[in-house]
Amino acid sequence: MTGLGRGAARVAALLAAPLLGAMAAGGAVADDEAEARALFGDIDDRALKYEFRVEGSRVGLGHGRIVKTGDAEWRVEIAYEIDVDLLGVDVYDLDLEATEIYRGARLVSLKSEAVEDGARHRIEGEAEGDRFHFTHNGEKGEAAADVVPSTQLWRKRLLKRTRALHVIEGKLFDRTAEPTGESEIETPSGASLTVEGVHIETPFETADLWYDAEGLLQRAKVERMGTTLLIRRLEAEGE
């Protein structure tokens, strides 16, 4: 895979643009309605849509939907597709679909299927006691109860949780996050929007993320192996 392809791959695994999840304050799980409200607020049947761009060209789209399914329980559905061409040559492809279920502020179920450059990756996981047990292509693993999928940077509050599960490779990793201050961006409609920046680092890449006043991801720039991938939120149907 070329540097361009790997850049898109790591971005997809890092945040899949849009996309979604849950965390507890201070990195400890608070599996109760109060923490769930702090994370999800009154979000129900909310759609998020993002585009991925490399060197000025759109290379993919990401979609997410958050649905409240019960008292302090939410289902998060994710789907995205990335197709990177360089000088007319197809250098990288990724299709991913995932379903995550949160009870309170805890991830209790994860199912993810991805095809990356023809290689299939399947992750299934369930919360059991104070652990989260998962398989990646049949290989077993486990994590602490407060683990979050690597796709889940859609809301600033998610960054309090530093331990993540890579949804393609099935590996656990740690990340750091530092605030970078406020700035102004232009939305797709041309309006000016004040956003708050955060710089994160992982073993796979570095990224700058920008969140609006609601704490939702609006813009991202990811650096991986010399490739810069830009991500921006688009207006989703019904907004």
Side-chain angles (χ1 to χ4, degrees):
M1 181 184 295
T2 67
L4 180 63
R6 288 184 182 276
R10 298 312 174 196
V11 168
L14 175 68
L15 36 90
L19 300 157
L20 311 169
M23 69 177 325
V29 172
D31 192 9
D32 56 28
E33 292 189 26
E35 177 57 25
R37 285 195 301 270
L39 175 62
F40 289 99
D42 59 357
I43 291 176
D44 183 15
D45 200 24
R46 171 75 69 89
L48 297 174
K49 181 179 180 180
Y50 297 81
E51 71 169 355
F52 301 83
R53 301 182 72 87
V54 171
E55 297 180 355
S57 299
R58 177 184 285 187
V59 297
L61 290 173
H63 302 266
R65 185 172 293 276
I66 311 154
V67 179
K68 188 173 183 179
T69 56
D71 290 339
E73 184 170 294
W74 284 263
R75 183 179 70 251
V76 176
E77 298 172 343
I78 298 167
Y80 56 88
E81 181 178 347
I82 296 177
D83 184 0
V84 181
D85 291 329
L86 183 61
L87 300 177
V89 178
D90 187 14
V91 297
Y92 179 71
D93 293 289
L94 175 65
D95 292 292
L96 183 144
E97 293 186 359
T99 299
E100 303 159 12
I101 296 176
Y102 296 88
R103 188 167 299 125
R106 181 181 181 181
L107 177 70
V108 296
S109 177
L110 169 65
K111 293 183 179 180
S112 174
E113 292 194 29
V115 179
E116 182 186 45
D117 283 341
R120 293 188 175 275
H121 300 267
R122 181 181 179 90
I123 291 180
E124 294 187 348
E126 298 285 343
E128 297 180 17
D130 63 352
R131 307 294 292 173
F132 187 82
H133 295 268
F134 64 92
T135 61
H136 171 253
N137 289 349
E139 184 175 345
K140 295 181 179 180
E142 67 175 73
D146 63 347
V147 72
V148 65
S150 59
T151 50
Q152 304 313 305
L153 298 177
W154 68 288
R155 198 176 184 96
K156 185 183 175 185
R157 190 176 181 85
L158 295 168
L159 299 181
K160 293 182 180 179
R161 183 170 294 179
T162 59
R163 190 67 166 167
L165 172 62
H166 198 293
V167 298
I168 295 178
E169 297 186 4
K171 295 180 180 179
L172 295 166
F173 66 92
D174 294 311
R175 63 188 179 208
T176 62
E178 296 292 338
T180 58
E182 291 187 350
S183 60
E184 297 287 325
I185 65 170
E186 183 177 307
T187 68
S189 65
S192 179
L193 180 67
T194 300
V195 291
E196 187 171 353
V198 180
H199 178 77
I200 69 170
E201 295 192 7
T202 82
F204 305 107
E205 62 281 292
T206 62
D208 289 293
L209 314 172
W210 290 273
Y211 294 88
D212 63 17
E214 193 179 0
L216 294 174
L217 182 69
Q218 289 289 333
R219 193 73 54 89
K221 181 175 73 173
V222 179
E223 303 284 347
R224 170 66 183 176
M225 297 185 67
T227 298
T228 300
L229 187 93
L230 300 179
I231 301 167
R232 67 172 183 166
R233 185 178 173 189
L234 301 177
E235 185 173 310
E237 183 177 350
E239 287 191 306

